[in-house]
Structures are given as structure tokens and as C-alpha cells.
Amino acid sequence: VTGEEVKKQFASTKEETTEDKPAIVKEESAPAAPVAKKAAAPPAKKPAVGPSPAKDKATPPNPTEVDSDPNFVYSYHEFTEKYAHLVEEFMTLKTFEESKEFLLKHGDIILQEHASNYLLLASL
């Protein structure tokens, strides 16, 4: 997908959404007769901040150390000992499709800061 194709897709979806919306028309009319006030509805419940709870807790995904404890962080040395082979494999990929599939499969590892540091140092 090129940038031009994305621009065209965005423009077409933007046009579709504006066509779906009805035009706002203000009509001037005589003042309406007073209406009895209705009881105010209770305020809408604010959404909870943070991730939504899992709907099916019976079969959780296989957690890694990183997923099971949100405060867990590998040191750079630990990360390279455990995941250097994945980062090295990522560096050997030649096509966009291979990279895309690899990131979809191992994005939780490759998109970490230690992985980007490893790639930077390897490129020197």
C-alpha cells in the first residue's frame, strides 16, 4: 500500500461519512408552548480508565513474563540473552511481507525498547 492509495482511501471514507450525515436545518417557528419538565435522567456512567476486563477468563492467552507482570522489565543483558536470536532473525528478512508477518507474530518482543537498541547497535 502506497501513501497515495491510503490518501485516496481516506478521502473516499471521509466523503462517505459526510454524505451519511443529514444536513442541520434551522427552522424558525413560533415559540412552543411550555412543556412540563421531566425528571432528569441519571448522568451517563463514565467508562473505566485502563484496559477492559477480559470477557472469557476461562481460557486466557499464554502469558509471557512481560505479560503476566506489568511492572516486569528485562535488563538489556537479560533481553539479549533471551531474545537476540529473534532480533537477528528479524534483521535477515528481505521483504516487506516477511517483516509484516514476523512483526505480527513477534511484535511484543521486536517492538520493545531493548530490541530497537539492539538493532541500532548491530547497525554500527
Side-chain angles (χ1 to χ4, degrees), residues 38-52:
K38 295 181 181 178
K45 189 175 182 182
K46 291 184 179 179
V49 177
S52 60

mmCIF file with all atom_site columns, all heavy atoms in Angstrom, residues 38-52:
data_model
loop_
_atom_site.group_PDB
_atom_site.id
_atom_site.type_symbol
_atom_site.label_atom_id
_atom_site.label_alt_id
_atom_site.label_comp_id
_atom_site.label_asym_id
_atom_site.label_entity_id
_atom_site.label_seq_id
_atom_site.pdbx_PDB_ins_code
_atom_site.Cartn_x
_atom_site.Cartn_y
_atom_site.Cartn_z
_atom_site.occupancy
_atom_site.B_iso_or_equiv
_atom_site.pdbx_formal_charge
_atom_site.auth_seq_id
_atom_site.auth_comp_id
_atom_site.auth_asym_id
_atom_site.auth_atom_id
_atom_site.pdbx_PDB_model_num
ATOM 1  N N   . LYS A 1 38 ? -39.481 17.099 32.656 1.00 0.00 ? 38 LYS A N   1
ATOM 2  C CA  . LYS A 1 38 ? -39.381 15.682 33.002 1.00 0.00 ? 38 LYS A CA  1
ATOM 3  C C   . LYS A 1 38 ? -38.270 15.518 34.020 1.00 0.00 ? 38 LYS A C   1
ATOM 4  O O   . LYS A 1 38 ? -37.367 16.334 34.110 1.00 0.00 ? 38 LYS A O   1
ATOM 5  C CB  . LYS A 1 38 ? -39.052 14.851 31.756 1.00 0.00 ? 38 LYS A CB  1
ATOM 6  C CG  . LYS A 1 38 ? -40.155 14.867 30.724 1.00 0.00 ? 38 LYS A CG  1
ATOM 7  C CD  . LYS A 1 38 ? -39.764 14.000 29.546 1.00 0.00 ? 38 LYS A CD  1
ATOM 8  C CE  . LYS A 1 38 ? -40.844 14.030 28.484 1.00 0.00 ? 38 LYS A CE  1
ATOM 9  N NZ  . LYS A 1 38 ? -40.482 13.244 27.320 1.00 0.00 ? 38 LYS A NZ  1
ATOM 10 N N   . ALA A 1 39 ? -38.353 14.422 34.746 1.00 0.00 ? 39 ALA A N   1
ATOM 11 C CA  . ALA A 1 39 ? -37.295 14.138 35.713 1.00 0.00 ? 39 ALA A CA  1
ATOM 12 C C   . ALA A 1 39 ? -35.996 13.936 34.945 1.00 0.00 ? 39 ALA A C   1
ATOM 13 O O   . ALA A 1 39 ? -35.957 13.273 33.919 1.00 0.00 ? 39 ALA A O   1
ATOM 14 C CB  . ALA A 1 39 ? -37.633 12.896 36.531 1.00 0.00 ? 39 ALA A CB  1
ATOM 15 N N   . ALA A 1 40 ? -34.938 14.518 35.455 1.00 0.00 ? 40 ALA A N   1
ATOM 16 C CA  . ALA A 1 40 ? -33.641 14.405 34.779 1.00 0.00 ? 40 ALA A CA  1
ATOM 17 C C   . ALA A 1 40 ? -33.154 12.972 34.832 1.00 0.00 ? 40 ALA A C   1
ATOM 18 O O   . ALA A 1 40 ? -33.261 12.297 35.855 1.00 0.00 ? 40 ALA A O   1
ATOM 19 C CB  . ALA A 1 40 ? -32.628 15.328 35.446 1.00 0.00 ? 40 ALA A CB  1
ATOM 20 N N   . ALA A 1 41 ? -32.641 12.534 33.714 1.00 0.00 ? 41 ALA A N   1
ATOM 21 C CA  . ALA A 1 41 ? -32.093 11.174 33.654 1.00 0.00 ? 41 ALA A CA  1
ATOM 22 C C   . ALA A 1 41 ? -30.796 11.142 34.442 1.00 0.00 ? 41 ALA A C   1
ATOM 23 O O   . ALA A 1 41 ? -30.081 12.142 34.523 1.00 0.00 ? 41 ALA A O   1
ATOM 24 C CB  . ALA A 1 41 ? -31.842 10.791 32.203 1.00 0.00 ? 41 ALA A CB  1
ATOM 25 N N   . PRO A 1 42 ? -30.475 10.002 35.040 1.00 0.00 ? 42 PRO A N   1
ATOM 26 C CA  . PRO A 1 42 ? -29.210 9.935  35.777 1.00 0.00 ? 42 PRO A CA  1
ATOM 27 C C   . PRO A 1 42 ? -28.046 10.133 34.812 1.00 0.00 ? 42 PRO A C   1
ATOM 28 O O   . PRO A 1 42 ? -28.137 9.778  33.640 1.00 0.00 ? 42 PRO A O   1
ATOM 29 C CB  . PRO A 1 42 ? -29.209 8.514  36.365 1.00 0.00 ? 42 PRO A CB  1
ATOM 30 C CG  . PRO A 1 42 ? -30.207 7.760  35.559 1.00 0.00 ? 42 PRO A CG  1
ATOM 31 C CD  . PRO A 1 42 ? -31.184 8.751  35.055 1.00 0.00 ? 42 PRO A CD  1
ATOM 32 N N   . PRO A 1 43 ? -26.956 10.745 35.284 1.00 0.00 ? 43 PRO A N   1
ATOM 33 C CA  . PRO A 1 43 ? -25.829 11.010 34.388 1.00 0.00 ? 43 PRO A CA  1
ATOM 34 C C   . PRO A 1 43 ? -25.271 9.703  33.839 1.00 0.00 ? 43 PRO A C   1
ATOM 35 O O   . PRO A 1 43 ? -25.322 8.658  34.494 1.00 0.00 ? 43 PRO A O   1
ATOM 36 C CB  . PRO A 1 43 ? -24.805 11.724 35.276 1.00 0.00 ? 43 PRO A CB  1
ATOM 37 C CG  . PRO A 1 43 ? -25.204 11.413 36.672 1.00 0.00 ? 43 PRO A CG  1
ATOM 38 C CD  . PRO A 1 43 ? -26.681 11.159 36.646 1.00 0.00 ? 43 PRO A CD  1
ATOM 39 N N   . ALA A 1 44 ? -24.771 9.793  32.620 1.00 0.00 ? 44 ALA A N   1
ATOM 40 C CA  . ALA A 1 44 ? -24.213 8.596  31.979 1.00 0.00 ? 44 ALA A CA  1
ATOM 41 C C   . ALA A 1 44 ? -22.999 8.120  32.766 1.00 0.00 ? 44 ALA A C   1
ATOM 42 O O   . ALA A 1 44 ? -22.227 8.918  33.287 1.00 0.00 ? 44 ALA A O   1
ATOM 43 C CB  . ALA A 1 44 ? -23.813 8.913  30.544 1.00 0.00 ? 44 ALA A CB  1
ATOM 44 N N   . LYS A 1 45 ? -22.853 6.820  32.834 1.00 0.00 ? 45 LYS A N   1
ATOM 45 C CA  . LYS A 1 45 ? -21.738 6.237  33.561 1.00 0.00 ? 45 LYS A CA  1
ATOM 46 C C   . LYS A 1 45 ? -20.460 6.452  32.773 1.00 0.00 ? 45 LYS A C   1
ATOM 47 O O   . LYS A 1 45 ? -20.398 6.167  31.589 1.00 0.00 ? 45 LYS A O   1
ATOM 48 C CB  . LYS A 1 45 ? -22.000 4.738  33.752 1.00 0.00 ? 45 LYS A CB  1
ATOM 49 C CG  . LYS A 1 45 ? -21.034 4.063  34.676 1.00 0.00 ? 45 LYS A CG  1
ATOM 50 C CD  . LYS A 1 45 ? -21.452 2.624  34.883 1.00 0.00 ? 45 LYS A CD  1
ATOM 51 C CE  . LYS A 1 45 ? -20.527 1.940  35.843 1.00 0.00 ? 45 LYS A CE  1
ATOM 52 N NZ  . LYS A 1 45 ? -20.893 0.538  36.029 1.00 0.00 ? 45 LYS A NZ  1
ATOM 53 N N   . LYS A 1 46 ? -19.430 6.988  33.427 1.00 0.00 ? 46 LYS A N   1
ATOM 54 C CA  . LYS A 1 46 ? -18.165 7.225  32.768 1.00 0.00 ? 46 LYS A CA  1
ATOM 55 C C   . LYS A 1 46 ? -17.463 5.892  32.554 1.00 0.00 ? 46 LYS A C   1
ATOM 56 O O   . LYS A 1 46 ? -17.498 5.022  33.417 1.00 0.00 ? 46 LYS A O   1
ATOM 57 C CB  . LYS A 1 46 ? -17.276 8.133  33.610 1.00 0.00 ? 46 LYS A CB  1
ATOM 58 C CG  . LYS A 1 46 ? -17.783 9.560  33.688 1.00 0.00 ? 46 LYS A CG  1
ATOM 59 C CD  . LYS A 1 46 ? -16.823 10.417 34.442 1.00 0.00 ? 46 LYS A CD  1
ATOM 60 C CE  . LYS A 1 46 ? -17.296 11.848 34.519 1.00 0.00 ? 46 LYS A CE  1
ATOM 61 N NZ  . LYS A 1 46 ? -16.375 12.689 35.262 1.00 0.00 ? 46 LYS A NZ  1
ATOM 62 N N   . PRO A 1 47 ? -16.794 5.740  31.403 1.00 0.00 ? 47 PRO A N   1
ATOM 63 C CA  . PRO A 1 47 ? -16.072 4.488  31.169 1.00 0.00 ? 47 PRO A CA  1
ATOM 64 C C   . PRO A 1 47 ? -14.876 4.389  32.106 1.00 0.00 ? 47 PRO A C   1
ATOM 65 O O   . PRO A 1 47 ? -14.267 5.394  32.460 1.00 0.00 ? 47 PRO A O   1
ATOM 66 C CB  . PRO A 1 47 ? -15.630 4.589  29.712 1.00 0.00 ? 47 PRO A CB  1
ATOM 67 C CG  . PRO A 1 47 ? -15.645 6.045  29.405 1.00 0.00 ? 47 PRO A CG  1
ATOM 68 C CD  . PRO A 1 47 ? -16.695 6.650  30.283 1.00 0.00 ? 47 PRO A CD  1
ATOM 69 N N   . ALA A 1 48 ? -14.581 3.196  32.514 1.00 0.00 ? 48 ALA A N   1
ATOM 70 C CA  . ALA A 1 48 ? -13.445 2.975  33.394 1.00 0.00 ? 48 ALA A CA  1
ATOM 71 C C   . ALA A 1 48 ? -12.167 3.230  32.621 1.00 0.00 ? 48 ALA A C   1
ATOM 72 O O   . ALA A 1 48 ? -12.054 2.955  31.447 1.00 0.00 ? 48 ALA A O   1
ATOM 73 C CB  . ALA A 1 48 ? -13.463 1.546  33.919 1.00 0.00 ? 48 ALA A CB  1
ATOM 74 N N   . VAL A 1 49 ? -11.191 3.782  33.318 1.00 0.00 ? 49 VAL A N   1
ATOM 75 C CA  . VAL A 1 49 ? -9.904  4.046  32.696 1.00 0.00 ? 49 VAL A CA  1
ATOM 76 C C   . VAL A 1 49 ? -9.071  2.771  32.753 1.00 0.00 ? 49 VAL A C   1
ATOM 77 O O   . VAL A 1 49 ? -9.052  2.078  33.751 1.00 0.00 ? 49 VAL A O   1
ATOM 78 C CB  . VAL A 1 49 ? -9.184  5.190  33.427 1.00 0.00 ? 49 VAL A CB  1
ATOM 79 C CG1 . VAL A 1 49 ? -7.813  5.421  32.848 1.00 0.00 ? 49 VAL A CG1 1
ATOM 80 C CG2 . VAL A 1 49 ? -10.016 6.446  33.366 1.00 0.00 ? 49 VAL A CG2 1
ATOM 81 N N   . GLY A 1 50 ? -8.363  2.469  31.669 1.00 0.00 ? 50 GLY A N   1
ATOM 82 C CA  . GLY A 1 50 ? -7.498  1.300  31.625 1.00 0.00 ? 50 GLY A CA  1
ATOM 83 C C   . GLY A 1 50 ? -8.091  0.224  30.755 1.00 0.00 ? 50 GLY A C   1
ATOM 84 O O   . GLY A 1 50 ? -9.138  0.393  30.142 1.00 0.00 ? 50 GLY A O   1
ATOM 85 N N   . PRO A 1 51 ? -7.402  -0.890 30.701 1.00 0.00 ? 51 PRO A N   1
ATOM 86 C CA  . PRO A 1 51 ? -7.883  -1.969 29.837 1.00 0.00 ? 51 PRO A CA  1
ATOM 87 C C   . PRO A 1 51 ? -9.177  -2.559 30.351 1.00 0.00 ? 51 PRO A C   1
ATOM 88 O O   . PRO A 1 51 ? -9.422  -2.625 31.550 1.00 0.00 ? 51 PRO A O   1
ATOM 89 C CB  . PRO A 1 51 ? -6.747  -2.992 29.879 1.00 0.00 ? 51 PRO A CB  1
ATOM 90 C CG  . PRO A 1 51 ? -6.003  -2.708 31.129 1.00 0.00 ? 51 PRO A CG  1
ATOM 91 C CD  . PRO A 1 51 ? -6.173  -1.240 31.396 1.00 0.00 ? 51 PRO A CD  1
ATOM 92 N N   . SER A 1 52 ? -10.023 -2.959 29.420 1.00 0.00 ? 52 SER A N   1
ATOM 93 C CA  . SER A 1 52 ? -11.287 -3.557 29.808 1.00 0.00 ? 52 SER A CA  1
ATOM 94 C C   . SER A 1 52 ? -11.042 -4.975 30.295 1.00 0.00 ? 52 SER A C   1
ATOM 95 O O   . SER A 1 52 ? -10.123 -5.649 29.833 1.00 0.00 ? 52 SER A O   1
ATOM 96 C CB  . SER A 1 52 ? -12.253 -3.565 28.632 1.00 0.00 ? 52 SER A CB  1
ATOM 97 O OG  . SER A 1 52 ? -11.700 -4.318 27.583 1.00 0.00 ? 52 SER A OG  1
#
